[in-house]
Amino acid sequence: MSTTTAPRKIGLIGLGLMGRPMGMNLLKAGHQLTVWNRTPERAKELVAGGAALAKTPHEVAEASEFLLTIVSDPPALESVLWGRDGKNEGALAGLRAGSIYVDSSTISPSLVRRIAAACRERGVRFLDAPVTGGDWGAREGNLVFMIGGDAETLRDAEPILGVMGKKWFYLGPSGAGQIVKLAMNAILALEVGAMAEALALVTRAGLKGEQLVEVMQASMARSGVLDVKSPLMLQGDYRPSFPLRLMHKDLGLALDLANQLGVALPATAAAREVYNYVKGEAKEDLDYSAVMRFWKK
Amino acid sequence: MSTTTAPRKIGLIGLGLMGRPMGMNLLKAGHQLTVWNRTPERAKELVAGGAALAKTPHEVAEASEFLLTIVSDPPALESVLWGRDGKNEGALAGLRAGSIYVDSSTISPSLVRRIAAACRERGVRFLDAPVTGGDWGAREGNLVFMIGGDAETLRDAEPILGVMGKKWFYLGPSGAGQIVKLAMNAILALEVGAMAEALALVTRAGLKGEQLVEVMQASMARSGVLDVKSPLMLQGDYRPSFPLRLMHKDLGLALDLANQLGVALPATAAAREVYNYVKGEAKEDLDYSAVMRFWKK
Amino acid sequence: MSTTTAPRKIGLIGLGLMGRPMGMNLLKAGHQLTVWNRTPERAKELVAGGAALAKTPHEVAEASEFLLTIVSDPPALESVLWGRDGKNEGALAGLRAGSIYVDSSTISPSLVRRIAAACRERGVRFLDAPVTGGDWGAREGNLVFMIGGDAETLRDAEPILGVMGKKWFYLGPSGAGQIVKLAMNAILALEVGAMAEALALVTRAGLKGEQLVEVMQASMARSGVLDVKSPLMLQGDYRPSFPLRLMHKDLGLALDLANQLGVALPATAAAREVYNYVKGEAKEDLDYSAVMRFWKK
Amino acid sequence: MSTTTAPRKIGLIGLGLMGRPMGMNLLKAGHQLTVWNRTPERAKELVAGGAALAKTPHEVAEASEFLLTIVSDPPALESVLWGRDGKNEGALAGLRAGSIYVDSSTISPSLVRRIAAACRERGVRFLDAPVTGGDWGAREGNLVFMIGGDAETLRDAEPILGVMGKKWFYLGPSGAGQIVKLAMNAILALEVGAMAEALALVTRAGLKGEQLVEVMQASMARSGVLDVKSPLMLQGDYRPSFPLRLMHKDLGLALDLANQLGVALPATAAAREVYNYVKGEAKEDLDYSAVMRFWKK
């Protein structure tokens, strides 16, 4: 997965915990970057690094042959793509036929299909490409992309994806990336939720959480996410890496999909309500490992 | 953790998927083994290897300076220790003062405390020492022991534990081993349950389960148990390694403990009912990864 | 709550299990009715009774001083109000300033607020007024309305509501009717779900479901909905009175609202997945009491 | 159901919220009463009314031709029947052949079967006869008995049951009464739990709980238990009528039974964890309607 490629005109919309480091990697790779964010202050570092700051999503699209969006939720993406309040500021209308548009937000497969249809009408080549790997993976250019759409489009997008990640999986037609992403996040939410329940149990029974974590790490239950989150949960350090409000939203999207399909997800549904409880009590922005707060307040 | 030690008189009660290979390793290490099992046919291989087959648990205890029990559930252990129907066949009454008794079954912390009290009365040195690592770990002498009881007793038991496992964790007073074991099994059950829900979702949405497994293995969600179980779940190969009925029982013990303590475990409770559903439908003995059958029948 | 009133020009959109009998009662009370339904065959009885059949929702609105909509879900209502595919067929654009629009569908409070804002812009007086009482209540003119919106508008709407129901509750600003309706349906779904779980338990334990129903009816657990549904559940008679797919949708709306607000609803979430399971297995349209099929297939 | 009958020698063990008023009604009906309670102070009113206070359960049994027990949980009943610490104080050994023993505690069907077997050995005629109706029903002699055991024994017990209740249901062999009782309590817990979730939703959405209660009472969801508990929940008046710790225990017994039988009860399991949460937080004894505290603390 070589990442050397001719410099391209790339648009980036969404400069959050993920978008900023992804943009930095695109700049470092020599690409010409135009960016936009709802709160423009977040663009500072990228502008200092050479990115142009556009006034609207529409401007970003017009300036780009390759557009990448990564925003927090479906409504945010809808307003980026179609504009708000009937104003002509949406990115979709600015995209040229033949250009490539990749969305790395986590959204519903049904919204993906609406976007794909709109892109098809304009001759825009679209991929849904949600990512996993967290802000750390974004900084290190180590993201994993889950791709839905056209395989040929993916081939042409690979040199740019390769700047931000080392792996991508082609999963099927438009929406397939999101389906797998939602399933993955349900697994992660349940692994962390399981650790939280287990910690609540052993500590209330008089033992130390550290003891459970040590045994877990010597066992078949050990997982990447538990290696990272468990020590933070023991310390009660819930500074957001992947914010709880986003994990909570993704669990909602997974359950929406499952309920459209008639697939019962009892444990995911139970876990979602625990995340919901903590979201409802929280005053500040927290990492999703703060699900632990359901028990200790 | 050296495992060379003078040959000892060891009793072993419970010759299931775990007990048999543990016994074989004790024989290989040169120990003198007396065994008992409710269905004596299970003793064949061990007897062929040099073990003596006793007629009652009481006989095993009398013949041993170190007793190990590993049976399927609390009632089985109660009948092994105290005998059934008022007959004098229980192991407890056969144990001599100064001998060591280690139970590696998964039982409730409250039963552990009853056993510990009975042992204390007779001067028997008792450890609760449930294991993790599965039948594979038992064969390889690669089990992990979670230990509750007296630290000095553990020191004296280590040479024998070291024949069967490579790691042990001293977790606190009697019952501490079981508390951590129940918490560990809840995590494992939820990891496998999460994978099952995620597989049900993506396959019902038209993708292949293999695709999700591949992404999972490249992600932070990857775990030891998912590496082992996921491919079997894709194939629908549910031959019992850790039987679903035992995992279901352990979830019940974890929830019992949690409900005694007033610790709510919403996701564990939801998962337990899914395992329960599959247990209720199953005609044959299945591995706990058969939780997948909740969706495909 | 007198129901005699001067004949009015009333529009009715949505001729399902509820809308048809509501329309019949409006005709009987002497009102002039214009109707529309996505599948026009459903209008037969009303047209035979004197109603005019319009070609679009827009035509209905133009012909009416009082518009009533009662359709199956939020997307159906959106297409009725705003039209589909950019065609100018939506009802909203046909409503005159000063006219009254009452929606009795069960939808999200957020969609209510969008509709209320659109009505305010045009000077249309809007109420959200979901109903309870089932198809039987609709036939008997015995519905209960849960009202959100402006109290004065309600006063002016009462003579017409009084043709269809005997009771209405004014609950607060736009959306309040839906909030209470969603909460009510969650209670009903859980009462019926509880009865189903209890029946599954006693029958699997070897008793007859009839015995439980008899005891229930002599107890504090007796409720209106259980009096109606329990005998049908015993017989496995699941002909739709309130269809499972609609109850399942309403549970989804209740959980969406709760998750927006950060209110955890663990039992509602668990019950929703049971309804979801049955929805996923069902081939035909079933009453929501068919939740029972989770256990007996 | 006539209640005049010759005075009988009746033993009563368990003088809690239910047992005391049941005993008062037995005294009023002219029966000769011998009582015992773990904390003897609770016997005051009954002794003042003419009851004899025994020193042990064994003494009560010896003094009685008809024994009634109603204690808080299975361990309490086991110690009443078989004695504690090997002392010969248990009631069972004091019962004479031909006498009738009725247990109105809520316990597991499996404990019922153990008791039934022990009674059969001694020629004692045993019924499981848990009750519903609450402390109010106990005072008014208005309880409902759910009966398992021998129909002829029931016929002979009826004159005495008729002093305490107006209705009884013969449900089948030993254990049948408990099975139905556990199912009934699961329904009640879910009805109250559903009301609590609905109240949490509407109040967090800005409405008043009173509004929901008013609509509920005009709807098919109205039930006996909700009529009684809803106003108390609105006021936050959780003085124990049926204590939460007992409802929580009964949910545990229902789930134990369901999990033995392989019957999944997802909503009951979810509700049990909510009750568990409140139990874990509560410092004082609360009515089970305090499940509401899961949301407002």
Side-chain angles (χ1 to χ4, degrees):
Chain A
M1 299 176 201
S2 151
T3 60
T4 30
T5 171
R8 301 279 293 275
K9 292 181 181 171
I10 299 182
L12 173 63
I13 293 175
L15 306 175
L17 279 173
M18 300 296 288
R20 285 198 308 269
M22 290 165 84
M24 289 308 292
N25 283 327
L26 289 167
L27 286 174
K28 277 179 213 154
H31 294 294
Q32 199 175 323
L33 200 63
T34 307
V35 302
W36 183 87
N37 196 61
R38 195 162 46 90
T39 47
E41 303 76 48
R42 292 251 173 99
K44 260 188 199 169
E45 192 194 6
L46 288 163
V47 169
L53 178 61
K55 291 217 183 68
T56 63
H58 191 266
E59 263 186 46
V60 176
E62 282 188 323
S64 310
E65 44 190 332
F66 184 105
L67 175 66
L68 178 69
T69 55
I70 180 158
V71 298
S72 61
D73 57 24
L77 188 60
E78 286 184 74
S79 90
V80 156
L81 293 180
W82 284 282
R84 279 183 297 189
D85 314 319
K87 288 180 201 153
N88 260 349
E89 299 182 338
L92 267 183
L95 285 169
R96 267 181 297 269
S99 67
I100 292 182
Y101 167 35
V102 172
D103 175 52
S104 289
S105 316
T106 301
I107 59 172
S108 65
S110 62
L111 180 52
V112 168
R113 282 185 282 262
R114 264 179 64 208
I115 298 170
C119 286
R120 218 175 301 126
E121 272 184 27
R122 316 183 155 297
V124 172
R125 307 167 70 197
F126 172 65
L127 298 175
D128 56 302
V131 291
T132 187
D135 55 347
W136 182 87
R139 276 193 302 276
E140 302 297 309
N142 208 0
L143 294 170
V144 174
F145 290 88
M146 288 153 274
I147 312 276
D150 176 62
E152 201 182 333
T153 303
L154 172 57
R155 219 166 314 126
D156 293 348
E158 284 181 354
I160 292 171
L161 299 184
V163 171
M164 300 173 286
K166 297 233 179 66
K167 268 195 179 161
W168 40 87
F169 293 92
Y170 177 68
L171 298 163
S174 284
Q178 295 295 350
I179 291 165
V180 170
K181 173 66 194 284
L182 296 178
M184 283 302 308
N185 272 11
I187 300 176
L188 289 167
L190 273 166
E191 288 191 1
V192 170
M195 192 71 215
E197 296 202 354
L199 282 170
L201 180 60
V202 301
T203 54
R204 202 77 74 93
L207 304 182
K208 291 197 173 153
E210 283 76 3
Q211 296 180 305
L212 177 63
V213 171
E214 207 186 356
V215 175
M216 179 276 289
Q217 286 180 324
S219 83
M220 302 280 280
R222 182 178 196 170
S223 80
V225 71
L226 293 186
D227 271 357
V228 172
K229 301 290 186 194
S230 297
L232 298 167
M233 290 160 88
L234 291 174
Q235 296 161 39
D237 177 353
Y238 301 131
R239 277 170 299 176
S241 166
F242 181 42
L244 189 138
R245 70 190 152 76
L246 294 185
M247 181 55 101
H248 173 259
K249 173 212 57 151
D250 293 353
L251 289 170
L253 293 171
L255 287 164
D256 282 352
L257 177 61
N259 276 278
Q260 283 155 27
L261 296 169
V263 185
L265 304 184
T268 303
R272 200 254 292 238
E273 295 308 309
V274 180
Y275 283 98
N276 186 23
Y277 187 100
V278 175
K279 191 196 77 158
E281 302 283 309
K283 308 243 172 323
E284 72 280 43
D285 206 14
L286 295 167
D287 189 69
Y288 76 98
S289 52
V291 65
M292 197 69 235
R293 285 211 183 162
F294 181 71
W295 297 274
K296 30 175 197 180
K297 276 145 296 185
Chain B
M1 300 179 200
S2 151
T3 60
T4 29
T5 171
R8 301 277 293 276
K9 292 182 182 171
I10 300 181
L12 172 63
I13 294 175
L15 306 174
L17 278 174
M18 301 296 289
R20 285 197 308 269
M22 289 164 84
M24 288 309 292
N25 283 326
L26 289 167
L27 287 173
K28 277 178 213 156
H31 294 293
Q32 200 176 321
L33 200 62
T34 308
V35 302
W36 183 87
N37 195 62
R38 195 164 48 89
T39 47
E41 302 76 48
R42 292 253 172 98
K44 260 187 199 171
E45 192 195 8
L46 289 163
V47 169
L53 179 60
K55 291 217 183 67
T56 63
H58 191 266
E59 263 186 44
V60 177
E62 283 188 323
S64 311
E65 42 189 334
F66 185 105
L67 174 66
L68 178 68
T69 55
I70 180 158
V71 297
S72 61
D73 58 23
L77 188 60
E78 286 183 74
S79 93
V80 156
L81 293 180
W82 284 282
R84 279 183 298 188
D85 314 319
K87 291 181 201 153
N88 259 352
E89 300 183 337
L92 267 182
L95 285 169
R96 268 180 297 269
S99 67
I100 292 181
Y101 167 35
V102 172
D103 175 51
S104 290
S105 317
T106 300
I107 59 171
S108 65
S110 62
L111 178 53
V112 167
R113 282 185 283 262
R114 265 180 63 208
I115 298 170
C119 285
R120 218 174 301 123
E121 272 184 28
R122 314 183 155 297
V124 173
R125 307 167 71 198
F126 171 66
L127 299 175
D128 56 302
V131 291
T132 186
D135 55 347
W136 182 87
R139 276 192 301 275
E140 303 297 309
N142 209 0
L143 294 170
V144 174
F145 290 88
M146 289 152 273
I147 311 276
D150 177 61
E152 202 181 332
T153 303
L154 172 57
R155 217 165 317 123
D156 293 347
E158 284 181 354
I160 292 170
L161 298 183
V163 171
M164 298 174 286
K166 297 232 181 63
K167 268 197 179 160
W168 41 86
F169 294 93
Y170 177 69
L171 298 163
S174 284
Q178 295 294 352
I179 290 166
V180 170
K181 174 66 194 284
L182 295 178
M184 283 303 308
N185 273 10
I187 299 175
L188 290 167
L190 272 166
E191 289 191 1
V192 170
M195 192 72 215
E197 296 203 352
L199 282 170
L201 180 59
V202 302
T203 54
R204 202 79 72 95
L207 304 182
K208 292 197 172 152
E210 282 77 2
Q211 297 180 305
L212 176 64
V213 171
E214 206 186 357
V215 175
M216 179 276 289
Q217 286 180 324
S219 83
M220 302 279 281
R222 182 178 196 170
S223 81
V225 72
L226 293 187
D227 271 357
V228 172
K229 301 291 185 194
S230 297
L232 298 167
M233 290 160 87
L234 290 175
Q235 295 160 40
D237 177 353
Y238 302 131
R239 278 170 297 177
S241 165
F242 182 42
L244 189 139
R245 71 190 153 76
L246 294 185
M247 180 54 101
H248 174 259
K249 174 211 56 151
D250 292 353
L251 288 170
L253 292 171
L255 286 164
D256 283 352
L257 177 61
N259 276 277
Q260 283 156 26
L261 295 169
V263 186
L265 303 184
T268 304
R272 200 254 294 236
E273 295 308 311
V274 180
Y275 283 98
N276 186 24
Y277 187 100
V278 175
K279 191 195 78 157
E281 301 283 310
K283 309 243 171 322
E284 72 279 43
D285 206 15
L286 295 167
D287 189 68
Y288 76 99
S289 53
V291 65
M292 197 70 234
R293 285 211 184 162
F294 181 70
W295 297 274
K296 26 177 200 177
K297 278 147 294 185
Chain C
M1 302 180 200
S2 150
T3 60
T4 30
T5 172
R8 302 277 293 276
K9 291 180 182 169
I10 299 181
L12 173 63
I13 293 173
L15 307 175
L17 278 174
M18 300 297 288
R20 285 196 308 268
M22 291 166 83
M24 288 310 291
N25 283 326
L26 289 168
L27 286 174
K28 277 179 212 154
H31 293 294
Q32 199 174 322
L33 200 63
T34 307
V35 302
W36 183 86
N37 196 61
R38 195 163 46 89
T39 46
E41 303 77 48
R42 293 251 172 98
K44 260 189 198 169
E45 192 194 8
L46 288 163
V47 169
L53 178 61
K55 291 216 184 68
T56 63
H58 192 267
E59 263 186 45
V60 176
E62 282 188 323
S64 311
E65 43 190 333
F66 184 105
L67 175 66
L68 178 69
T69 55
I70 180 159
V71 298
S72 61
D73 57 23
L77 188 61
E78 287 184 73
S79 92
V80 157
L81 293 180
W82 284 281
R84 279 183 298 189
D85 314 319
K87 290 180 199 153
N88 260 351
E89 300 183 337
L92 268 182
L95 286 169
R96 268 181 295 269
S99 66
I100 292 182
Y101 167 35
V102 172
D103 175 51
S104 289
S105 316
T106 301
I107 59 171
S108 65
S110 62
L111 178 53
V112 168
R113 282 185 282 263
R114 264 180 65 208
I115 298 170
C119 285
R120 218 174 302 124
E121 272 185 27
R122 318 184 152 294
V124 172
R125 307 167 71 198
F126 172 66
L127 298 175
D128 57 302
V131 291
T132 187
D135 54 347
W136 182 87
R139 277 192 302 274
E140 302 297 309
N142 208 1
L143 294 170
V144 173
F145 290 88
M146 288 153 273
I147 312 276
D150 177 62
E152 202 182 332
T153 302
L154 172 57
R155 220 167 314 125
D156 293 347
E158 284 180 354
I160 292 169
L161 299 183
V163 172
M164 299 173 286
K166 297 233 178 66
K167 267 195 180 160
W168 40 86
F169 293 94
Y170 177 68
L171 298 162
S174 283
Q178 295 295 351
I179 290 165
V180 170
K181 173 66 194 284
L182 296 178
M184 283 302 307
N185 273 11
I187 300 175
L188 290 166
L190 273 166
E191 289 190 1
V192 171
M195 192 72 215
E197 296 202 354
L199 282 170
L201 180 59
V202 302
T203 53
R204 202 77 74 94
L207 305 182
K208 290 196 171 153
E210 283 76 4
Q211 297 181 304
L212 177 63
V213 171
E214 206 186 356
V215 174
M216 180 275 289
Q217 287 181 323
S219 83
M220 301 280 279
R222 182 178 196 170
S223 81
V225 71
L226 293 186
D227 271 357
V228 171
K229 300 291 186 195
S230 297
L232 297 167
M233 290 160 87
L234 290 174
Q235 296 161 39
D237 177 354
Y238 301 131
R239 276 171 298 176
S241 165
F242 182 41
L244 189 138
R245 71 191 151 77
L246 294 185
M247 181 56 102
H248 174 259
K249 173 211 58 150
D250 292 353
L251 289 170
L253 293 172
L255 286 163
D256 283 352
L257 177 61
N259 276 278
Q260 283 155 27
L261 295 169
V263 185
L265 303 184
T268 304
R272 199 254 292 237
E273 295 308 310
V274 180
Y275 283 98
N276 186 23
Y277 187 100
V278 175
K279 191 195 78 157
E281 301 282 310
K283 307 240 171 328
E284 72 279 43
D285 206 15
L286 295 167
D287 189 69
Y288 76 99
S289 52
V291 66
M292 197 71 234
R293 285 210 184 164
F294 180 70
W295 297 274
K296 28 176 197 178
K297 276 144 295 184
Chain D
M1 301 180 202
S2 150
T3 60
T4 31
T5 173
R8 302 276 294 276
K9 292 182 181 170
I10 299 182
L12 173 62
I13 293 174
L15 307 174
L17 278 174
M18 300 296 289
R20 286 197 308 270
M22 290 165 84
M24 288 309 291
N25 283 327
L26 290 167
L27 286 173
K28 277 179 212 154
H31 294 293
Q32 199 174 322
L33 200 62
T34 307
V35 302
W36 183 87
N37 196 61
R38 193 163 47 90
T39 47
E41 302 78 47
R42 292 254 172 96
K44 261 188 196 170
E45 192 194 8
L46 288 163
V47 169
L53 179 59
K55 291 219 184 66
T56 63
H58 192 265
E59 263 187 44
V60 176
E62 283 188 323
S64 310
E65 44 190 332
F66 184 106
L67 175 67
L68 178 68
T69 55
I70 179 159
V71 299
S72 61
D73 58 22
L77 187 61
E78 286 183 73
S79 92
V80 156
L81 293 180
W82 284 282
R84 278 183 298 189
D85 314 319
K87 290 181 201 154
N88 259 350
E89 299 183 338
L92 267 182
L95 285 168
R96 268 182 296 269
S99 66
I100 291 181
Y101 166 37
V102 172
D103 175 51
S104 290
S105 316
T106 300
I107 60 171
S108 65
S110 61
L111 179 52
V112 167
R113 283 185 282 261
R114 265 180 63 208
I115 298 169
C119 286
R120 218 174 300 124
E121 271 184 27
R122 313 184 153 313
V124 172
R125 307 167 71 198
F126 171 66
L127 299 175
D128 56 302
V131 291
T132 186
D135 55 346
W136 183 88
R139 277 192 302 275
E140 302 297 309
N142 208 1
L143 294 170
V144 174
F145 290 88
M146 287 153 273
I147 310 277
D150 176 62
E152 202 182 332
T153 304
L154 172 58
R155 217 166 314 124
D156 294 347
E158 284 182 353
I160 292 170
L161 299 184
V163 171
M164 299 174 286
K166 296 230 179 68
K167 268 196 179 159
W168 40 86
F169 292 93
Y170 176 68
L171 298 163
S174 284
Q178 295 295 350
I179 290 166
V180 171
K181 174 66 194 284
L182 295 178
M184 283 303 306
N185 273 11
I187 299 175
L188 290 167
L190 272 167
E191 288 191 1
V192 170
M195 191 72 214
E197 296 202 353
L199 282 171
L201 180 59
V202 301
T203 53
R204 201 77 73 95
L207 304 182
K208 291 197 172 154
E210 283 76 2
Q211 297 181 304
L212 177 63
V213 171
E214 206 187 355
V215 174
M216 179 275 289
Q217 286 181 323
S219 83
M220 301 279 281
R222 182 178 195 170
S223 81
V225 71
L226 292 186
D227 272 357
V228 172
K229 299 292 185 194
S230 296
L232 298 167
M233 290 160 88
L234 290 175
Q235 295 160 40
D237 176 354
Y238 302 131
R239 278 171 296 178
S241 165
F242 182 43
L244 189 138
R245 70 190 153 77
L246 295 185
M247 180 55 102
H248 175 259
K249 173 212 56 149
D250 292 353
L251 288 171
L253 293 171
L255 286 164
D256 283 353
L257 177 61
N259 276 279
Q260 282 155 27
L261 295 169
V263 185
L265 303 185
T268 304
R272 200 253 294 237
E273 294 309 310
V274 180
Y275 283 97
N276 186 23
Y277 188 100
V278 174
K279 190 195 79 157
E281 302 283 310
K283 308 243 170 325
E284 73 278 43
D285 206 14
L286 295 167
D287 189 69
Y288 76 98
S289 53
V291 65
M292 197 70 235
R293 284 211 186 163
F294 181 71
W295 296 273
K296 26 177 199 179
K297 277 146 295 185

